[in-house]
Amino acid sequence: LAKKYIGSIDSLTLVNFFHKMVKPQQTHYMITAFDRVASELPAEEKVLSMAADIRTRAIAPYSKNMTIPEKLLPKEPKAAKVIKETAVSQIQAQVLTLSNGATVIFRRSTTPNSPITLTAFRKGGLYALDSTDYVSGLYAGSVISLSGAGDFTREALSHYLAGNTASVRFLIDKTRSGIAGTSNLADKETLFQLMYLKWTAPRVDTAVFNQGKEKAIESYQTANRTDEDRFNQDFGYLIQGKAYTNRELTDTILSAELQEKALIPAFNQSFGSASGYTFILTADCKLNELKPLILKYIGGLPAGTSKTAYVYTGPAIPKQPVVFERKAGNSPKAVVSLVFQHTSLGENLRMYTLKEDMLQAVIRTKLLKQLREKMGMVYSVSVSSGATLHPSALSRTTIAYTCKPEDAELLIEKTMEQIKLMVTDPGCFEQELTDVKTNLIKDMRLESQKDAFWGGFIRNSLFNEETDWSWITGFEQTVNAITPQQIAGLIDKNLLQTPMIRAIMYPKNQ
């Protein structure tokens, strides 16, 4: 149906539809608000009167006068040179090192006639900003994106690109910054030009900034913070420590620290220089077809040094066991969370993460059998485990479930008994581990056929400085070589030898 009718729908069709749809006698009005502001709402008669008054006004049709430049770039970039070109057979990729300090990795698409994808990353991001610029950095990407680029307002840029498949997003994450762009092959030069324009000519529209700041402040002031919200906030501070990176952004903080003049400098710290950036390009064509565009638009980006060292170096996690309990829940259930954190991985992140994937799967399976099937006291169990090297090494495993309040203590006891059994008797989860391995190998075979997988794998490998590209080709052998005893050792290290944060949110009426 969509394919049949989409071509017949245009703006005029929609306008006519709206005229027919909006009829006073068929219009209903509903106003909702929190109880504490109910007295400020207008009476029913006032609302109807306002609506009737609007219908009597002469309202001119919407119109927008704008100036649209004739081309994206006012002048052509100066192309770079290729300093070094190598091939990496394990990932079927070619690597170009450019004279401006950028690296480009090209991999031919695995899918015929697929779009071009252009991504890039570099260490740094929000954690590399000065603490006084952190709040402005949080909003820099969105405000600049909504403001257009170069001589283009956002509306003018949208009009210029109408009918073109090229799009590029600029991202400033906590530990890195980067871009994500795509287009079809016919629009490939527009893709590169758009990336170059947004990179080298960011702009901030004052009206957009003011509107965004006012909305953020209003959102804080009108938020309905429940006891559950406060519990979760304090629980987060307990796990991560309290720092300028995770504090609540109050109206006072937003007013003082979200500054228009700081947005462009924060953006340029992430994107001013291309030195150290790695661009990953996939397309259903040969590298030589794209090389002139690579040299001109990626190579034409500014060179030089950038501040990428982390200012924020990670949370101060608890070193001793902690019990955190509060009557704050709105439902009659208790919410139990058991969190285990430490800062020593002991091996490379790839291998550690693979073992953690196995750990969380086998623990969840054993807990479901014990707590749900045998005891019948929970509906489900959540087990999550993850690790990072940035801004500093950190591993976190969380076991969580909801239950009757009177069952919480017993369930925690049985959970830890099951964990201890898995450590002392690895054979008790040997079959579960075999099933997990089978699924991991199956998933890898499927995922490795996708371009998106390879882009993410290459990005994360380089970001974590793990360039043993044989990881994928040897994945099945690596998975099968991991023993129950190794997983038992990791469970022992991550859960039994690590201080536990035990959090229970009880119903507030009990």
Side-chain angles (χ1 to χ4, degrees), residues 199-247:
W199 188 301
T200 59
R203 57 181 282 165
V204 172
D205 185 311
T206 299
V208 170
F209 170 78
N210 290 337
Q211 185 180 43
K213 184 172 182 176
E214 289 169 8
K215 186 176 181 180
I217 291 172
E218 181 184 0
S219 178
Y220 170 79
Q221 293 174 337
T222 59
N224 187 33
R225 292 170 186 81
T226 65
D227 290 339
E228 282 192 9
D229 294 331
R230 296 185 183 92
F231 175 91
N232 290 326
Q233 183 183 57
D234 291 341
F235 184 32
Y237 291 149
L238 179 60
I239 294 172
Q240 303 174 8
K242 192 171 184 180
Y244 68 90
T245 57
N246 65 351
R247 61 184 169 169

Side-chain angles (χ1 to χ4, degrees), residues 12-28:
L12 184 60
T13 306
L14 290 175
V15 169
N16 291 333
F17 172 74
F18 289 142
H19 279 300
K20 294 176 182 178
M21 182 182 68
V22 182
K23 299 178 180 178
Q25 67 273 21
Q26 295 179 356
T27 302
H28 301 263

Side-chain angles (χ1 to χ4, degrees), residues 136 140 143-144 147 203-210 213 254-266:
S136 295
V143 172
I144 289 172
S147 298
R203 57 181 282 165
V204 172
D205 185 311
T206 299
V208 170
F209 170 78
N210 290 337
K213 184 172 182 176
L254 289 167
S255 297
E257 298 187 25
L258 180 50
Q259 299 295 325
E260 181 179 357
K261 64 182 180 181
L263 299 189
I264 295 293

Side-chain angles (χ1 to χ4, degrees), residues 57-246:
R57 296 182 187 179
I59 301 176
Y62 173 81
S63 63
K64 181 80 173 182
N65 296 320
M66 66 177 74
T67 301
I68 304 176
E70 294 183 0
K71 54 185 180 178
L72 280 176
L73 303 179
K75 62 179 182 179
E76 297 293 309
K78 183 180 179 181
K81 297 179 180 179
V82 176
I83 302 299
K84 183 180 180 182
E85 182 170 350
T86 57
V88 183
S89 59
Q90 296 95 326
I91 56 174
Q92 301 91 50
Q94 293 164 275
V95 182
L96 305 179
T97 304
L98 306 185
S99 56
N100 67 340
T103 300
V104 178
I105 299 177
F106 173 80
R107 189 177 189 277
R108 183 147 191 174
S109 174
T110 57
T111 308
N113 302 316
S114 61
I116 298 174
T117 61
L118 175 64
T119 61
F121 78 93
R122 184 177 65 189
K123 173 187 172 182
L126 295 171
Y127 287 168
L129 294 172
D130 187 272
S131 60
T132 58
D133 295 325
Y134 186 82
V135 176
S136 295
L138 281 172
Y139 287 85
S142 59
V143 172
I144 289 172
S145 174
L146 293 170
S147 298
D151 295 330
F152 289 84
T153 63
R154 185 193 183 201
E155 292 83 1
L157 190 58
S158 295
H159 277 70
Y160 183 91
L161 294 172
N164 196 294
T165 60
S167 66
V168 182
R169 293 183 298 129
F170 279 63
L171 312 167
I172 305 177
D173 203 349
K174 291 181 178 180
T175 58
R176 53 181 155 180
S177 53
I179 67 167
T182 184
S183 78
N184 60 28
L185 274 172
D187 298 325
K188 58 183 180 295
E189 184 155 16
T190 304
L191 170 64
F192 282 89
Q193 289 179 340
L194 186 60
M195 179 278 299
Y196 182 89
L197 174 69
K198 290 188 172 185
W199 188 301
T200 59
R203 57 181 282 165
V204 172
D205 185 311
T206 299
V208 170
F209 170 78
N210 290 337
Q211 185 180 43
K213 184 172 182 176
E214 289 169 8
K215 186 176 181 180
I217 291 172
E218 181 184 0
S219 178
Y220 170 79
Q221 293 174 337
T222 59
N224 187 33
R225 292 170 186 81
T226 65
D227 290 339
E228 282 192 9
D229 294 331
R230 296 185 183 92
F231 175 91
N232 290 326
Q233 183 183 57
D234 291 341
F235 184 32
Y237 291 149
L238 179 60
I239 294 172
Q240 303 174 8
K242 192 171 184 180
Y244 68 90
T245 57
N246 65 351

